[in-house]
Amino acid sequence: METTRFLEVLGDDYQRLLGVAVGDHLGAKVPTCPDWTMADLVEHVSMVYLHKVETMRLGAFPQPWPPEDLPPEAPADRLTRAYAALTAEFARHSPESTVQTWYEPDQTVGFWIRRMVHETVIHRVDGELAAGQPPTQVPDDVALDGIDENLRAFLAYQVIQWPEEFAEALAGCGGETLLVSAGGRAWLVGLRPGTVTVEDADPGTAADATVSGSPSGVLLWLWRRADDSVVSLSGNPLVSGKLRDLQRIATQ
């Protein structure tokens, strides 16, 4: 996706989250993040935005975080201020500019632009659910990019970085494969002890199990914001269940 498209989507989903973060909704429980209220959710997104602002300004992660002198603000006010600061800081850098990220293969501002888009997409879904509204469908291009980010940067990369977290879940795996398919694209996920591989694949690729559906449905399923009713599952249910277990660790 082009940077201009990422920024457009970021703005759209920020506005959707801001729109539900009002009044009585602030005390509502977030069903997909049971420990949070809507106010907690909005505070989380705001602080994530501000953390990235400081990271780009410094070129490295700010320490300590959160800052000790953070002024009290209403949730919507902090979110508005944080979004304005984030987009202004993005405008000061090219996507290729070097900056620290947690994903070693991509140490650029472009990584944070993409990451903040998907952070906001998923959390505005959380916000809509907390407000009792059906989630707005994620556009196909955004959802497909989000699926790719989820599988590669969250699942496969985190298994490399924190193998002990995934050791038990992967212990019984022996090379099983699962095809994730949506919108004419597909990813072949391989499961072995200590390793998860992700490769681009043809939608017709044979695998032990398949998860398929609309791009939005598959994205929300991977992020555990939707249940099995939004996707089609075929093949060995133990393999698709194993992916679901791994996602609980990767996306906690």
Side-chain angles (χ1 to χ4, degrees):
M1 288 173 59
E2 296 292 331
T3 299
T4 52
R5 176 60 174 151
F6 275 133
L7 294 175
E8 175 189 20
V9 174
L10 177 62
D12 289 346
D13 283 288
Y14 153 74
Q15 288 290 347
R16 290 189 180 103
L17 177 57
L18 185 65
V20 296
V22 295
D24 293 342
H25 289 159
L26 287 173
K29 290 290 187 180
V30 182
T32 41
C33 303
D35 294 335
W36 285 354
T37 63
M38 178 80 83
D40 296 327
L41 172 68
V42 175
E43 177 75 1
H44 169 78
V45 175
S46 300
M47 294 309 296
V48 168
Y49 285 176
L50 292 172
H51 181 267
K52 303 311 167 280
V53 171
E54 289 304 306
T55 297
M56 287 183 283
R57 287 175 179 169
L58 298 171
F61 293 142
Q63 296 292 342
W65 191 263
E68 297 176 356
D69 58 349
L70 190 70
E73 291 175 275
D77 291 344
R78 195 183 323 269
L79 181 62
T80 300
R81 179 173 68 86
Y83 172 77
L86 179 70
T87 52
E89 198 62 30
F90 282 153
R92 294 189 184 101
H93 305 272
S94 71
E96 297 79 21
S97 298
T98 300
V99 68
Q100 186 175 5
T101 79
W102 52 258
Y103 184 60
E104 186 176 354
D106 190 351
Q107 299 287 299
T108 68
V109 169
F111 172 86
W112 286 129
I113 294 173
R114 183 194 196 198
R115 178 81 286 280
M116 291 304 95
V117 168
H118 295 302
E119 178 84 4
T120 308
V121 166
I122 295 302
H123 284 320
R124 69 87 174 152
V125 169
D126 292 330
E128 289 171 332
L129 291 170
Q133 299 178 7
T136 305
Q137 183 168 332
V138 183
D140 286 357
D141 59 338
V142 180
L144 290 170
D145 189 77
I147 292 168
D148 188 79
E149 187 209 41
N150 174 282
L151 293 174
R152 297 182 191 277
F154 279 83
L155 180 57
Y157 183 71
Q158 289 194 44
V159 170
I160 294 171
Q161 293 297 106
W162 297 282
E164 66 281 358
E165 298 291 329
F166 297 87
E168 183 177 351
L170 287 169
C173 295
E176 294 84 0
T177 57
L178 183 140
L179 190 73
V180 178
S181 179
R185 289 185 62 182
W187 297 259
L188 187 66
V189 180
L191 307 176
R192 293 184 181 278
T195 303
V196 172
T197 59
V198 178
E199 302 174 0
D200 289 331
D202 184 274
T205 300
D208 295 308
T210 298
V211 177
S212 61
S214 69
S216 184
V218 171
L219 175 69
L220 297 185
W221 185 87
L222 288 172
W223 275 103
R224 300 182 300 115
R225 265 56 181 189
D227 60 22
D228 292 351
S229 66
V230 304
V231 295
S232 295
L233 301 174
S234 61
N236 187 339
L238 295 178
V239 177
S240 54
K242 180 62 69 174
L243 178 61
R244 194 72 160 169
D245 291 341
L246 291 166
Q247 288 289 3
R248 287 190 183 95
I249 303 169
T251 62
Q252 60 184 340

